[in-house]
Amino acid sequence: MCGITGYVGGEDSGEIVHEGLKNLEYRGYDSAGVALGGETIQVHKREGEVSELEFPETSGHTVGIGHTRWSTHGEPTQENAHPHTDCRDEIAVVHNGIIENYEELKEELQAAHFFESETDTEVVPHLLEDELDDDVSLRAAVHRVVQRLEGSFALAVTAAGHDGIVVAREDSPLVIGYGENEHFVASDVTAFAEHTREVSFLENGDIALITNDSVTIHNDGSVVERPVETVEWDATAAEKGGYEHYMLKEIHEQPQALRQTLSGRIDDLSGDVTLDIDLPEPYLQSLEEIQIVACGTSYHAGLYVRDLLEQYADIRVSVELASEYDFRGGRDPWRTLVVAITQSGETADTLSALREANRSGARTLALTNTVGSTVTRDADATLYIRAGPEIGVAATKTFVSQVATATLFTVYLARVRGAMSVSQASEILESLNALPGAVQQVLDNNDHIEAVANEYADSRSFFYIGRASGYSVALESALKLKEISYDHAEGFAAGELKHGPLALVDEDTPVIALLTDHAASSETVNSVKEVKSRGAPVIGVSSDIETTSLVDEQFDVADIGPMEPVVANVALQLFAYHVANEKGRSIDKPRNLAKSVTVE
Ligand code: M6R
């Protein structure tokens, strides 16, 4: 939930750590701080965004750690901002995750130590202070301290008079970057990608001492090696590229993201899909059930493909909110595949559901955007969605790439199971191939969508209705609007309106109706009539010209078969963006939210 970064080398650490924090700000942005290390420790921190953090431009320090926070324990204040220090201000610690037993540790330490914050993290520098009094190395002290911590953490520590930085990982990501006579560490490669792409990902239990010329990793008392990999990274992909917001840029990147997702995976002639998944075909043929676990937007992507999977791959499918997941009895783990959909690969609820599935004996597949993320290590197999980096907190291009990847998986599985004919496969693959072009047409219609959004921007409550895959798009589109505009927005199965929510509809409640053919538009038309007769203005998203007489405004989408509701979603991403922009909201960093939710 928070972002950590660190640097050791020949350059001024202040500037590099500050830059790294700016790149990580999507992970949390309610307070930030840095500690510059070496012979002395200098801490600069404050509430507010990273850009508001001030410290001397050239610090003269060549060791630094930094943190951008999304508060869990204690409000976003200067005192609660990281780094946290010991009583003598000689040890500085930044932390991502939660230390569950901090209250008892704090109670034990309070007699001899002075605490300044309400955070769980602050116990760590005080515990380290006691250990370093025994004259051990910083690495040994961190080793002793982490034995006492319960919960999840990524820690980075620097101490006056001690070489470099020591980091420790337990269930929160940490990646080390290798430069020439310099090393980086961060929660995510984004922090230092402009400096190096040679990285190694730490595993649970790893404690690493990072100096300018070496990285030594210990696990369980022994030295271990972690492979150094080259990550593919287009640094410009993580910049705004002339757009006002990352979200708008990422919405516009969708045709390209979809091309990347599909590239090299479809054989048009045979109707086959090639996916590099490490799951044996006989196992896939014997499957009886798929459980999809995910949160938020990724959960909606799961809902989107459920019907396709059931219809074509001849398999029972459930889609479960990861935070509610329970591998209930009565299921045969040997014939159950659990698919975790997670853009970041670090969402704590999703990881926890995946681990429960692993414990129950089911096989697991991760669908993720993030190479080397925790989910790729915990799952039996991984399928990358290849959307490229997404910085805006609101997921946009990753949603469409998740749906496209999961649809490819549907065809792959259905073909392996002999459940799908070539012509059925071709219908879906043609629809997938048509997606980038159809999305581009929606983007070209931006001005119209913006004008409609501006017209309705003063409304305080929006309803979204749809059926079948259009229902998942209604849920996703409502989530997008509420998270960035702070207006009430709710998605409904169109048929459910009359069973209660209709009572809330009046002339001030715009209703956005998914009227694409494949979202069972003819039945949704009845719901549109119901809300119209209560005076509600209706915005239809449709490929069917016939609906124009029914609705007040219409966003056209191309008729491309089963993927049509995805295209409708893009129109509604733009609608949400423009409503929020008209209100002057903090679109890339909506209040109270963070991109990567690493706490349960
Ligand atoms: O990284 P994940 O896909 O696991 O994230 C899950 C949700 O937190 C995420 O999809 C969230 O709902 C979106 N950022 C909202 O736009």
Side-chain angles (χ1 to χ4, degrees), residues 124-166:
V124 178
H126 293 293
L127 287 167
L128 284 168
E129 185 180 352
D130 288 349
E131 296 299 343
L132 285 176
D133 278 348
D134 279 358
D135 215 19
V136 296
S137 69
L138 184 58
R139 188 194 61 75
V142 171
H143 176 75
R144 287 185 189 179
V145 167
V146 297
Q147 310 299 314
R148 304 205 53 202
L149 305 181
E150 288 166 18
S152 67
F153 47 83
L155 293 168
V157 182
T158 182
H162 289 262
D163 247 9
I165 301 171
V166 175

mmCIF file of all heavy atoms in Angstrom, residues 124-166:
data_model
loop_
_atom_site.group_PDB
_atom_site.id
_atom_site.type_symbol
_atom_site.label_atom_id
_atom_site.label_comp_id
_atom_site.label_asym_id
_atom_site.label_seq_id
_atom_site.Cartn_x
_atom_site.Cartn_y
_atom_site.Cartn_z
ATOM 1 N N VAL A 124 9.989 -0.808 15.100
ATOM 2 C CA VAL A 124 11.178 -1.416 14.473
ATOM 3 C C VAL A 124 12.468 -0.654 14.808
ATOM 4 O O VAL A 124 13.441 -1.267 15.266
ATOM 5 C CB VAL A 124 10.974 -1.587 12.947
ATOM 6 C CG1 VAL A 124 12.210 -2.177 12.298
ATOM 7 C CG2 VAL A 124 9.759 -2.464 12.681
ATOM 8 N N PRO A 125 12.540 0.682 14.602
ATOM 9 C CA PRO A 125 13.800 1.351 14.953
ATOM 10 C C PRO A 125 14.150 1.204 16.432
ATOM 11 O O PRO A 125 15.338 1.096 16.773
ATOM 12 C CB PRO A 125 13.550 2.820 14.584
ATOM 13 C CG PRO A 125 12.086 2.955 14.396
ATOM 14 C CD PRO A 125 11.579 1.617 13.983
ATOM 15 N N HIS A 126 13.142 1.144 17.306
ATOM 16 C CA HIS A 126 13.460 0.999 18.735
ATOM 17 C C HIS A 126 13.973 -0.411 19.048
ATOM 18 O O HIS A 126 14.895 -0.585 19.845
ATOM 19 C CB HIS A 126 12.239 1.364 19.581
ATOM 20 C CG HIS A 126 11.882 2.824 19.481
ATOM 21 N ND1 HIS A 126 12.691 3.822 19.982
ATOM 22 C CD2 HIS A 126 10.843 3.451 18.886
ATOM 23 C CE1 HIS A 126 12.143 5.008 19.719
ATOM 24 N NE2 HIS A 126 11.012 4.799 19.043
ATOM 25 N N LEU A 127 13.388 -1.404 18.409
ATOM 26 C CA LEU A 127 13.912 -2.772 18.587
ATOM 27 C C LEU A 127 15.344 -2.845 18.063
ATOM 28 O O LEU A 127 16.234 -3.459 18.678
ATOM 29 C CB LEU A 127 13.039 -3.786 17.841
ATOM 30 C CG LEU A 127 11.670 -4.099 18.447
ATOM 31 C CD1 LEU A 127 10.799 -4.863 17.443
ATOM 32 C CD2 LEU A 127 11.810 -4.907 19.742
ATOM 33 N N LEU A 128 15.578 -2.191 16.928
ATOM 34 C CA LEU A 128 16.928 -2.209 16.339
ATOM 35 C C LEU A 128 17.935 -1.500 17.245
ATOM 36 O O LEU A 128 19.094 -1.925 17.367
ATOM 37 C CB LEU A 128 16.918 -1.527 14.969
ATOM 38 C CG LEU A 128 16.313 -2.343 13.817
ATOM 39 C CD1 LEU A 128 16.088 -1.468 12.586
ATOM 40 C CD2 LEU A 128 17.246 -3.510 13.456
ATOM 41 N N GLU A 129 17.465 -0.445 17.876
ATOM 42 C CA GLU A 129 18.342 0.317 18.776
ATOM 43 C C GLU A 129 18.895 -0.612 19.871
ATOM 44 O O GLU A 129 20.101 -0.633 20.145
ATOM 45 C CB GLU A 129 17.512 1.446 19.396
ATOM 46 C CG GLU A 129 18.269 2.404 20.266
ATOM 47 C CD GLU A 129 17.338 3.501 20.825
ATOM 48 O OE1 GLU A 129 16.161 3.595 20.408
ATOM 49 O OE2 GLU A 129 17.801 4.246 21.692
ATOM 50 N N ASP A 130 17.999 -1.431 20.441
ATOM 51 C CA ASP A 130 18.449 -2.368 21.485
ATOM 52 C C ASP A 130 19.422 -3.397 20.929
ATOM 53 O O ASP A 130 20.422 -3.737 21.555
ATOM 54 C CB ASP A 130 17.237 -3.087 22.107
ATOM 55 C CG ASP A 130 16.427 -2.143 22.990
ATOM 56 O OD1 ASP A 130 16.917 -1.031 23.274
ATOM 57 O OD2 ASP A 130 15.295 -2.517 23.368
ATOM 58 N N GLU A 131 19.113 -3.894 19.741
ATOM 59 C CA GLU A 131 19.986 -4.928 19.164
ATOM 60 C C GLU A 131 21.361 -4.344 18.821
ATOM 61 O O GLU A 131 22.390 -4.982 19.065
ATOM 62 C CB GLU A 131 19.355 -5.525 17.897
ATOM 63 C CG GLU A 131 18.051 -6.258 18.124
ATOM 64 C CD GLU A 131 18.188 -7.449 19.069
ATOM 65 O OE1 GLU A 131 19.312 -7.926 19.306
ATOM 66 O OE2 GLU A 131 17.130 -7.888 19.590
ATOM 67 N N LEU A 132 21.388 -3.135 18.262
ATOM 68 C CA LEU A 132 22.682 -2.544 17.877
ATOM 69 C C LEU A 132 23.525 -2.205 19.097
ATOM 70 O O LEU A 132 24.759 -2.131 19.011
ATOM 71 C CB LEU A 132 22.467 -1.306 16.991
ATOM 72 C CG LEU A 132 22.054 -1.619 15.545
ATOM 73 C CD1 LEU A 132 21.769 -0.331 14.778
ATOM 74 C CD2 LEU A 132 23.124 -2.423 14.796
ATOM 75 N N ASP A 133 22.885 -2.033 20.247
ATOM 76 C CA ASP A 133 23.645 -1.815 21.478
ATOM 77 C C ASP A 133 24.518 -3.024 21.813
ATOM 78 O O ASP A 133 25.487 -2.942 22.556
ATOM 79 C CB ASP A 133 22.694 -1.517 22.650
ATOM 80 C CG ASP A 133 22.274 -0.054 22.641
ATOM 81 O OD1 ASP A 133 22.890 0.735 21.888
ATOM 82 O OD2 ASP A 133 21.317 0.296 23.354
ATOM 83 N N ASP A 134 24.156 -4.193 21.258
ATOM 84 C CA ASP A 134 24.958 -5.414 21.471
ATOM 85 C C ASP A 134 26.158 -5.461 20.537
ATOM 86 O O ASP A 134 26.831 -6.490 20.426
ATOM 87 C CB ASP A 134 24.115 -6.661 21.172
ATOM 88 C CG ASP A 134 23.227 -7.015 22.324
ATOM 89 O OD1 ASP A 134 23.297 -6.311 23.352
ATOM 90 O OD2 ASP A 134 22.460 -7.989 22.183
ATOM 91 N N ASP A 135 26.346 -4.381 19.772
ATOM 92 C CA ASP A 135 27.498 -4.282 18.887
ATOM 93 C C ASP A 135 27.486 -5.323 17.770
ATOM 94 O O ASP A 135 28.542 -5.849 17.393
ATOM 95 C CB ASP A 135 28.782 -4.432 19.723
ATOM 96 C CG ASP A 135 29.869 -3.555 19.133
ATOM 97 O OD1 ASP A 135 29.522 -2.637 18.374
ATOM 98 O OD2 ASP A 135 31.052 -3.818 19.418
ATOM 99 N N VAL A 136 26.297 -5.632 17.256
ATOM 100 C CA VAL A 136 26.231 -6.558 16.117
ATOM 101 C C VAL A 136 26.146 -5.719 14.841
ATOM 102 O O VAL A 136 25.952 -4.509 14.895
ATOM 103 C CB VAL A 136 25.000 -7.496 16.222
ATOM 104 C CG1 VAL A 136 25.097 -8.384 17.427
ATOM 105 C CG2 VAL A 136 23.706 -6.682 16.239
ATOM 106 N N SER A 137 26.263 -6.392 13.687
ATOM 107 C CA SER A 137 26.138 -5.657 12.419
ATOM 108 C C SER A 137 24.676 -5.261 12.219
ATOM 109 O O SER A 137 23.765 -5.846 12.825
ATOM 110 C CB SER A 137 26.582 -6.545 11.253
ATOM 111 O OG SER A 137 25.629 -7.585 11.088
ATOM 112 N N LEU A 138 24.451 -4.305 11.316
ATOM 113 C CA LEU A 138 23.068 -3.878 11.048
ATOM 114 C C LEU A 138 22.260 -5.056 10.485
ATOM 115 O O LEU A 138 21.098 -5.253 10.836
ATOM 116 C CB LEU A 138 23.071 -2.695 10.063
ATOM 117 C CG LEU A 138 21.707 -2.079 9.757
ATOM 118 C CD1 LEU A 138 21.009 -1.570 11.020
ATOM 119 C CD2 LEU A 138 21.852 -0.924 8.753
ATOM 120 N N ARG A 139 22.910 -5.856 9.630
ATOM 121 C CA ARG A 139 22.189 -7.004 9.074
ATOM 122 C C ARG A 139 21.770 -7.984 10.167
ATOM 123 O O ARG A 139 20.628 -8.457 10.209
ATOM 124 C CB ARG A 139 23.042 -7.738 8.021
ATOM 125 C CG ARG A 139 22.275 -8.806 7.281
ATOM 126 C CD ARG A 139 23.164 -9.730 6.515
ATOM 127 N NE ARG A 139 24.101 -10.456 7.340
ATOM 128 C CZ ARG A 139 23.779 -11.485 8.126
ATOM 129 N NH1 ARG A 139 22.529 -11.902 8.176
ATOM 130 N NH2 ARG A 139 24.703 -12.095 8.844
ATOM 131 N N ALA A 140 22.689 -8.252 11.076
ATOM 132 C CA ALA A 140 22.367 -9.193 12.158
ATOM 133 C C ALA A 140 21.255 -8.617 13.044
ATOM 134 O O ALA A 140 20.363 -9.349 13.499
ATOM 135 C CB ALA A 140 23.620 -9.474 12.988
ATOM 136 N N ALA A 141 21.307 -7.307 13.263
ATOM 137 C CA ALA A 141 20.274 -6.694 14.109
ATOM 138 C C ALA A 141 18.906 -6.810 13.437
ATOM 139 O O ALA A 141 17.905 -7.157 14.073
ATOM 140 C CB ALA A 141 20.620 -5.223 14.355
ATOM 141 N N VAL A 142 18.868 -6.559 12.105
ATOM 142 C CA VAL A 142 17.590 -6.673 11.389
ATOM 143 C C VAL A 142 17.115 -8.128 11.452
ATOM 144 O O VAL A 142 15.929 -8.404 11.678
ATOM 145 C CB VAL A 142 17.742 -6.195 9.921
ATOM 146 C CG1 VAL A 142 16.484 -6.506 9.108
ATOM 147 C CG2 VAL A 142 18.033 -4.693 9.890
ATOM 148 N N HIS A 143 18.051 -9.058 11.308
ATOM 149 C CA HIS A 143 17.685 -10.478 11.371
ATOM 150 C C HIS A 143 17.006 -10.801 12.709
ATOM 151 O O HIS A 143 15.951 -11.433 12.753
ATOM 152 C CB HIS A 143 18.938 -11.338 11.183
ATOM 153 C CG HIS A 143 18.673 -12.806 11.322
ATOM 154 N ND1 HIS A 143 18.042 -13.525 10.338
ATOM 155 C CD2 HIS A 143 18.931 -13.675 12.329
ATOM 156 C CE1 HIS A 143 17.920 -14.781 10.725
ATOM 157 N NE2 HIS A 143 18.450 -14.901 11.939
ATOM 158 N N ARG A 144 17.591 -10.315 13.792
ATOM 159 C CA ARG A 144 17.016 -10.580 15.116
ATOM 160 C C ARG A 144 15.634 -9.937 15.253
ATOM 161 O O ARG A 144 14.717 -10.524 15.810
ATOM 162 C CB ARG A 144 17.921 -10.012 16.208
ATOM 163 C CG ARG A 144 19.206 -10.803 16.405
ATOM 164 C CD ARG A 144 19.936 -10.212 17.589
ATOM 165 N NE ARG A 144 21.270 -10.732 17.750
ATOM 166 C CZ ARG A 144 22.089 -10.327 18.709
ATOM 167 N NH1 ARG A 144 21.712 -9.398 19.568
ATOM 168 N NH2 ARG A 144 23.298 -10.849 18.825
ATOM 169 N N VAL A 145 15.523 -8.713 14.746
ATOM 170 C CA VAL A 145 14.258 -7.986 14.927
ATOM 171 C C VAL A 145 13.126 -8.637 14.126
ATOM 172 O O VAL A 145 12.017 -8.798 14.645
ATOM 173 C CB VAL A 145 14.431 -6.490 14.554
ATOM 174 C CG1 VAL A 145 13.083 -5.794 14.438
ATOM 175 C CG2 VAL A 145 15.300 -5.800 15.602
ATOM 176 N N VAL A 146 13.408 -9.036 12.883
ATOM 177 C CA VAL A 146 12.296 -9.578 12.097
ATOM 178 C C VAL A 146 11.768 -10.898 12.689
ATOM 179 O O VAL A 146 10.618 -11.249 12.489
ATOM 180 C CB VAL A 146 12.610 -9.752 10.584
ATOM 181 C CG1 VAL A 146 12.898 -8.424 9.926
ATOM 182 C CG2 VAL A 146 13.719 -10.726 10.336
ATOM 183 N N GLN A 147 12.620 -11.582 13.469
ATOM 184 C CA GLN A 147 12.127 -12.798 14.143
ATOM 185 C C GLN A 147 10.978 -12.459 15.095
ATOM 186 O O GLN A 147 10.164 -13.307 15.427
ATOM 187 C CB GLN A 147 13.216 -13.466 15.023
ATOM 188 C CG GLN A 147 14.555 -13.697 14.371
ATOM 189 C CD GLN A 147 14.435 -14.608 13.189
ATOM 190 O OE1 GLN A 147 13.775 -15.630 13.278
ATOM 191 N NE2 GLN A 147 15.008 -14.204 12.088
ATOM 192 N N ARG A 148 10.955 -11.226 15.543
ATOM 193 C CA ARG A 148 9.959 -10.840 16.546
ATOM 194 C C ARG A 148 8.700 -10.229 15.920
ATOM 195 O O ARG A 148 7.738 -9.959 16.626
ATOM 196 C CB ARG A 148 10.583 -9.821 17.508
ATOM 197 C CG ARG A 148 11.865 -10.359 18.153
ATOM 198 C CD ARG A 148 12.125 -9.691 19.456
ATOM 199 N NE ARG A 148 10.968 -9.773 20.340
ATOM 200 C CZ ARG A 148 10.742 -8.954 21.359
ATOM 201 N NH1 ARG A 148 11.595 -7.985 21.623
ATOM 202 N NH2 ARG A 148 9.686 -9.091 22.129
ATOM 203 N N LEU A 149 8.739 -9.991 14.618
ATOM 204 C CA LEU A 149 7.604 -9.306 13.989
ATOM 205 C C LEU A 149 6.611 -10.307 13.420
ATOM 206 O O LEU A 149 7.007 -11.300 12.812
ATOM 207 C CB LEU A 149 8.093 -8.402 12.851
ATOM 208 C CG LEU A 149 9.168 -7.372 13.196
ATOM 209 C CD1 LEU A 149 9.523 -6.544 11.960
ATOM 210 C CD2 LEU A 149 8.713 -6.459 14.335
ATOM 211 N N GLU A 150 5.323 -10.006 13.628
ATOM 212 C CA GLU A 150 4.274 -10.810 12.992
ATOM 213 C C GLU A 150 3.557 -9.927 11.989
ATOM 214 O O GLU A 150 3.335 -8.751 12.263
ATOM 215 C CB GLU A 150 3.263 -11.299 14.045
ATOM 216 C CG GLU A 150 3.825 -12.380 14.930
ATOM 217 C CD GLU A 150 2.964 -12.607 16.174
ATOM 218 O OE1 GLU A 150 1.794 -12.186 16.182
ATOM 219 O OE2 GLU A 150 3.496 -13.185 17.133
ATOM 220 N N GLY A 151 3.198 -10.497 10.852
ATOM 221 C CA GLY A 151 2.469 -9.711 9.856
ATOM 222 C C GLY A 151 3.211 -9.711 8.540
ATOM 223 O O GLY A 151 3.971 -10.623 8.237
ATOM 224 N N SER A 152 2.953 -8.677 7.770
ATOM 225 C CA SER A 152 3.607 -8.606 6.459
ATOM 226 C C SER A 152 4.460 -7.353 6.432
ATOM 227 O O SER A 152 4.066 -6.326 6.969
ATOM 228 C CB SER A 152 2.549 -8.534 5.366
ATOM 229 O OG SER A 152 1.861 -7.308 5.458
ATOM 230 N N PHE A 153 5.621 -7.463 5.835
ATOM 231 C CA PHE A 153 6.449 -6.260 5.793
ATOM 232 C C PHE A 153 7.489 -6.315 4.689
ATOM 233 O O PHE A 153 7.959 -7.376 4.285
ATOM 234 C CB PHE A 153 7.158 -5.998 7.134
ATOM 235 C CG PHE A 153 7.826 -7.216 7.718
ATOM 236 C CD1 PHE A 153 9.089 -7.592 7.310
ATOM 237 C CD2 PHE A 153 7.182 -7.991 8.668
ATOM 238 C CE1 PHE A 153 9.706 -8.704 7.841
ATOM 239 C CE2 PHE A 153 7.793 -9.120 9.211
ATOM 240 C CZ PHE A 153 9.055 -9.476 8.795
ATOM 241 N N ALA A 154 7.778 -5.112 4.197
ATOM 242 C CA ALA A 154 9.009 -4.870 3.459
ATOM 243 C C ALA A 154 9.640 -3.729 4.233
ATOM 244 O O ALA A 154 8.989 -2.710 4.480
ATOM 245 C CB ALA A 154 8.696 -4.448 2.039
ATOM 246 N N LEU A 155 10.869 -3.937 4.671
ATOM 247 C CA LEU A 155 11.543 -2.928 5.494
ATOM 248 C C LEU A 155 12.819 -2.487 4.797
ATOM 249 O O LEU A 155 13.520 -3.307 4.192
ATOM 250 C CB LEU A 155 11.959 -3.528 6.837
ATOM 251 C CG LEU A 155 10.867 -3.954 7.822
ATOM 252 C CD1 LEU A 155 11.486 -4.790 8.936
ATOM 253 C CD2 LEU A 155 10.177 -2.731 8.413
ATOM 254 N N ALA A 156 13.131 -1.202 4.918
ATOM 255 C CA ALA A 156 14.453 -0.728 4.510
ATOM 256 C C ALA A 156 14.997 0.097 5.665
ATOM 257 O O ALA A 156 14.280 0.917 6.253
ATOM 258 C CB ALA A 156 14.365 0.105 3.242
ATOM 259 N N VAL A 157 16.267 -0.171 5.996
ATOM 260 C CA VAL A 157 16.853 0.428 7.192
ATOM 261 C C VAL A 157 18.214 1.013 6.858
ATOM 262 O O VAL A 157 19.017 0.391 6.149
ATOM 263 C CB VAL A 157 17.069 -0.669 8.278
ATOM 264 C CG1 VAL A 157 17.633 -0.050 9.555
ATOM 265 C CG2 VAL A 157 15.785 -1.428 8.559
ATOM 266 N N THR A 158 18.474 2.199 7.382
ATOM 267 C CA THR A 158 19.834 2.723 7.321
ATOM 268 C C THR A 158 20.186 3.231 8.722
ATOM 269 O O THR A 158 19.308 3.676 9.465
ATOM 270 C CB THR A 158 19.977 3.819 6.235
ATOM 271 O OG1 THR A 158 21.335 4.256 6.209
ATOM 272 C CG2 THR A 158 19.088 5.021 6.486
ATOM 273 N N ALA A 159 21.463 3.110 9.099
ATOM 274 C CA ALA A 159 21.859 3.522 10.451
ATOM 275 C C ALA A 159 23.196 4.253 10.389
ATOM 276 O O ALA A 159 24.081 3.886 9.600
ATOM 277 C CB ALA A 159 21.972 2.288 11.357
ATOM 278 N N ALA A 160 23.318 5.283 11.202
ATOM 279 C CA ALA A 160 24.535 6.103 11.204
ATOM 280 C C ALA A 160 25.759 5.237 11.472
ATOM 281 O O ALA A 160 25.758 4.389 12.380
ATOM 282 C CB ALA A 160 24.417 7.185 12.278
ATOM 283 N N GLY A 161 26.767 5.410 10.627
ATOM 284 C CA GLY A 161 28.012 4.673 10.831
ATOM 285 C C GLY A 161 27.994 3.256 10.293
ATOM 286 O O GLY A 161 28.995 2.545 10.365
ATOM 287 N N HIS A 162 26.861 2.805 9.762
ATOM 288 C CA HIS A 162 26.781 1.452 9.173
ATOM 289 C C HIS A 162 26.708 1.576 7.663
ATOM 290 O O HIS A 162 26.044 2.459 7.137
ATOM 291 C CB HIS A 162 25.549 0.711 9.689
ATOM 292 C CG HIS A 162 25.660 0.317 11.122
ATOM 293 N ND1 HIS A 162 26.045 -0.940 11.532
ATOM 294 C CD2 HIS A 162 25.465 1.042 12.242
ATOM 295 C CE1 HIS A 162 26.063 -0.993 12.852
ATOM 296 N NE2 HIS A 162 25.718 0.205 13.319
ATOM 297 N N ASP A 163 27.369 0.646 6.987
ATOM 298 C CA ASP A 163 27.419 0.663 5.523
ATOM 299 C C ASP A 163 26.055 0.419 4.894
ATOM 300 O O ASP A 163 25.348 -0.498 5.306
ATOM 301 C CB ASP A 163 28.314 -0.502 5.086
ATOM 302 C CG ASP A 163 29.577 0.012 4.450
ATOM 303 O OD1 ASP A 163 29.789 1.232 4.520
ATOM 304 O OD2 ASP A 163 30.328 -0.818 3.895
ATOM 305 N N GLY A 164 25.696 1.169 3.882
ATOM 306 C CA GLY A 164 24.575 0.839 3.006
ATOM 307 C C GLY A 164 23.205 0.776 3.660
ATOM 308 O O GLY A 164 22.915 1.454 4.644
ATOM 309 N N ILE A 165 22.374 -0.077 3.044
ATOM 310 C CA ILE A 165 20.980 -0.238 3.479
ATOM 311 C C ILE A 165 20.747 -1.712 3.732
ATOM 312 O O ILE A 165 21.250 -2.559 2.994
ATOM 313 C CB ILE A 165 20.008 0.180 2.342
ATOM 314 C CG1 ILE A 165 20.238 1.639 1.944
ATOM 315 C CG2 ILE A 165 18.565 -0.030 2.724
ATOM 316 C CD1 ILE A 165 19.456 2.019 0.680
ATOM 317 N N VAL A 166 19.958 -2.032 4.761
ATOM 318 C CA VAL A 166 19.535 -3.417 4.940
ATOM 319 C C VAL A 166 18.036 -3.472 4.690
ATOM 320 O O VAL A 166 17.281 -2.625 5.190
ATOM 321 C CB VAL A 166 19.870 -3.936 6.354
ATOM 322 C CG1 VAL A 166 19.302 -5.341 6.551
ATOM 323 C CG2 VAL A 166 21.380 -3.951 6.561
#
